[in-house]
Short mmCIF file of all heavy atoms in Angstrom, two decimals:
data_model
loop_
_atom_site.label_atom_id
_atom_site.label_comp_id
_atom_site.label_asym_id
_atom_site.label_seq_id
_atom_site.Cartn_x
_atom_site.Cartn_y
_atom_site.Cartn_z
N GLY A 207 44.79 39.83 -1.61
CA GLY A 207 45.76 40.54 -0.79
C GLY A 207 45.46 40.41 0.71
O GLY A 207 46.41 40.15 1.47
N GLU A 208 44.23 40.47 1.12
CA GLU A 208 43.91 40.26 2.48
C GLU A 208 44.16 38.92 3.04
O GLU A 208 44.78 38.74 4.14
CB GLU A 208 42.44 40.64 2.83
CG GLU A 208 41.98 42.05 2.51
CD GLU A 208 41.43 42.23 1.07
OE1 GLU A 208 41.88 41.38 0.23
OE2 GLU A 208 40.74 43.20 0.74
N MET A 209 43.80 37.94 2.18
CA MET A 209 44.11 36.52 2.61
C MET A 209 45.70 36.29 2.72
O MET A 209 46.17 35.71 3.65
CB MET A 209 43.57 35.53 1.58
CG MET A 209 42.07 35.66 1.41
SD MET A 209 41.14 35.28 2.82
CE MET A 209 41.18 33.48 2.76
N MET A 210 46.41 36.82 1.84
CA MET A 210 47.83 36.67 1.81
C MET A 210 48.48 37.42 3.11
O MET A 210 49.32 36.80 3.80
CB MET A 210 48.51 37.28 0.53
CG MET A 210 48.01 36.56 -0.71
SD MET A 210 48.17 34.76 -0.68
CE MET A 210 49.95 34.58 -0.80
N ALA A 211 47.99 38.53 3.40
CA ALA A 211 48.36 39.29 4.57
C ALA A 211 48.00 38.63 5.88
O ALA A 211 48.84 38.62 6.79
CB ALA A 211 47.87 40.67 4.56
N ILE A 212 46.85 38.01 5.97
CA ILE A 212 46.40 37.36 7.11
C ILE A 212 47.26 36.04 7.29
O ILE A 212 47.78 35.78 8.47
CB ILE A 212 44.86 36.91 7.13
CG1 ILE A 212 44.05 38.14 7.16
CG2 ILE A 212 44.56 35.83 8.14
CD1 ILE A 212 42.59 37.90 6.87
N ARG A 213 47.56 35.40 6.34
CA ARG A 213 48.43 34.17 6.36
C ARG A 213 49.85 34.59 6.86
O ARG A 213 50.53 33.92 7.65
CB ARG A 213 48.52 33.51 5.01
CG ARG A 213 47.23 32.86 4.56
CD ARG A 213 47.31 32.26 3.21
NE ARG A 213 45.96 31.72 2.76
CZ ARG A 213 45.44 31.69 1.61
NH1 ARG A 213 46.15 32.31 0.66
NH2 ARG A 213 44.26 31.20 1.40
N ASP A 214 50.29 35.74 6.34
CA ASP A 214 51.69 36.21 6.69
C ASP A 214 51.74 36.53 8.08
O ASP A 214 52.55 36.27 8.89
CB ASP A 214 52.07 37.39 5.74
CG ASP A 214 53.50 37.79 5.86
OD1 ASP A 214 54.36 36.86 5.95
OD2 ASP A 214 53.74 39.00 6.10
N ALA A 215 50.75 37.38 8.55
CA ALA A 215 50.70 37.86 9.98
C ALA A 215 50.69 36.63 10.93
O ALA A 215 51.32 36.60 11.93
CB ALA A 215 49.56 38.73 10.20
N CYS A 216 49.75 35.69 10.59
CA CYS A 216 49.52 34.52 11.50
C CYS A 216 50.90 33.70 11.49
O CYS A 216 51.34 33.35 12.65
CB CYS A 216 48.42 33.65 11.02
SG CYS A 216 46.87 34.28 11.29
N LYS A 217 51.54 33.55 10.46
CA LYS A 217 52.84 32.88 10.41
C LYS A 217 53.90 33.63 11.30
O LYS A 217 54.67 33.05 12.05
CB LYS A 217 53.36 32.69 9.01
CG LYS A 217 54.61 31.95 8.85
CD LYS A 217 55.09 31.95 7.39
CE LYS A 217 55.61 33.41 7.10
NZ LYS A 217 56.33 33.59 5.86
N ASN A 218 53.92 34.96 11.06
CA ASN A 218 54.88 35.83 11.80
C ASN A 218 54.75 35.82 13.29
O ASN A 218 55.70 35.92 13.99
CB ASN A 218 54.90 37.12 11.22
CG ASN A 218 55.45 37.22 9.79
OD1 ASN A 218 56.20 36.43 9.38
ND2 ASN A 218 55.15 38.31 9.05
N ILE A 219 53.46 35.81 13.79
CA ILE A 219 53.31 35.75 15.28
C ILE A 219 53.10 34.40 15.86
O ILE A 219 53.01 34.25 17.03
CB ILE A 219 52.13 36.77 15.63
CG1 ILE A 219 50.73 36.11 15.15
CG2 ILE A 219 52.33 38.16 15.13
CD1 ILE A 219 49.60 36.86 15.76
N GLY A 220 52.92 33.40 15.02
CA GLY A 220 52.67 31.96 15.41
C GLY A 220 51.42 31.78 16.11
O GLY A 220 51.36 30.92 16.97
N ASP A 221 50.38 32.44 15.57
CA ASP A 221 49.06 32.23 16.09
C ASP A 221 47.99 32.57 15.10
O ASP A 221 48.31 33.29 14.07
CB ASP A 221 48.88 33.15 17.32
CG ASP A 221 47.71 32.84 18.20
OD1 ASP A 221 46.91 31.86 17.90
OD2 ASP A 221 47.58 33.49 19.25
N PHE A 222 46.82 31.97 15.17
CA PHE A 222 45.72 32.33 14.21
C PHE A 222 44.81 33.46 14.67
O PHE A 222 43.94 33.88 14.15
CB PHE A 222 44.95 31.08 14.03
CG PHE A 222 44.28 30.40 15.26
CD1 PHE A 222 43.09 31.00 15.76
CD2 PHE A 222 44.91 29.37 15.75
CE1 PHE A 222 42.52 30.45 16.89
CE2 PHE A 222 44.30 28.76 16.93
CZ PHE A 222 43.16 29.28 17.52
N ASP A 223 45.08 33.98 15.90
CA ASP A 223 44.34 34.96 16.52
C ASP A 223 44.95 36.37 16.24
O ASP A 223 45.96 36.57 16.73
CB ASP A 223 44.12 34.76 18.03
CG ASP A 223 43.17 35.70 18.68
OD1 ASP A 223 42.71 36.63 18.04
OD2 ASP A 223 43.02 35.47 19.88
N LEU A 224 44.33 37.21 15.51
CA LEU A 224 44.80 38.56 15.17
C LEU A 224 44.06 39.60 15.88
O LEU A 224 43.92 40.79 15.33
CB LEU A 224 44.84 38.73 13.68
CG LEU A 224 45.75 37.88 12.87
CD1 LEU A 224 45.63 38.08 11.38
CD2 LEU A 224 47.15 37.83 13.35
N GLU A 225 43.50 39.31 16.99
CA GLU A 225 42.78 40.18 17.76
C GLU A 225 43.56 41.40 18.07
O GLU A 225 44.74 41.34 18.45
CB GLU A 225 42.17 39.62 19.08
CG GLU A 225 41.17 40.50 19.76
CD GLU A 225 40.48 39.85 20.95
OE1 GLU A 225 40.35 38.59 20.89
OE2 GLU A 225 40.00 40.56 21.89
N GLY A 226 43.07 42.64 18.07
CA GLY A 226 43.83 43.85 18.39
C GLY A 226 44.54 44.41 17.21
O GLY A 226 45.31 45.36 17.29
#
Side-chain angles (χ1 to χ4, degrees):
E208 297 92 338
M209 302 294 282
M210 301 305 290
I212 288 169
R213 291 171 184 148
D214 187 49
C216 290
K217 180 185 76 174
N218 289 337
I219 67 167
D221 197 352
F222 58 82
D223 186 359
L224 298 179
E225 188 173 337

